[in-house]
Amino acid sequence: MEGARDVLLPTLLDIEASGFGRGSYPIEVGLARPDGSRCAFLIQPVQEWTHWDPKAELLHGISRARLIREGHPPIEVARWLNDELAATGIAYSDSWGYDNTWLSLLFDQARMLPRFRLEALRRLLSEAQTECWAQTKERIAAEYDIRRHRAGDDARLLQLTYKATLGVD
């Protein structure tokens, strides 16, 4: 575990959405940067984004009214992501299938191309890390009192879990 403290951590990205089915869209995107800092932005839904799953709202606790009131237009969020991630060119997600779909929807709505790629977090993990991942993640969430299902906090939780599993053989 000696070198685990000094390793450059990967950038983790997490997206919360209006639901999980057809028609769902991104409502919050968050990053955990290599230095451990995190940030997140609420996304204002565009007119054609109408799907809303009350069960998803129960998980993330973000109302559609709050998104309309406090959210940033998709183009602003897409620009921010490009500004944040163009230099490293890559971010990782633990829910690549969902997050990549929602990221594509965001950039499509902004009429922009991402200047980075999103990869599956599992590509970074050894077999030993994968085996202890779920248990370590729960321990870290409790230890750091991380609120789940908010994009910035979830991204940081993934990053802390990754760091905690480094050096596991």
Side-chain angles (χ1 to χ4, degrees), residues 3-18:
R5 285 183 186 87
D6 303 327
V7 74
L8 189 62
L9 296 173
T11 299
L12 274 292
L13 180 144
D14 186 71
I15 296 177
E16 296 299 323
S18 65

Side-chain angles (χ1 to χ4, degrees), residues 55-107:
K55 291 178 190 159
E57 183 177 343
L58 283 175
L59 279 179
H60 51 63
I62 304 165
S63 70
R64 187 167 161 86
R66 181 174 176 199
L67 291 175
I68 292 166
R69 200 174 54 246
E70 299 174 24
H72 297 268
I75 193 167
E76 285 182 18
V77 179
R79 282 183 186 143
W80 168 72
L81 283 168
N82 273 343
D83 288 347
E84 283 280 335
L85 298 172
T88 58
I90 192 166
Y92 294 90
S93 164
D94 72 330
S95 297
W96 184 88
Y98 284 116
D99 289 347
N100 199 48
T101 299
W102 292 320
L103 198 60
S104 295
L105 185 61
L106 175 73
F107 275 87

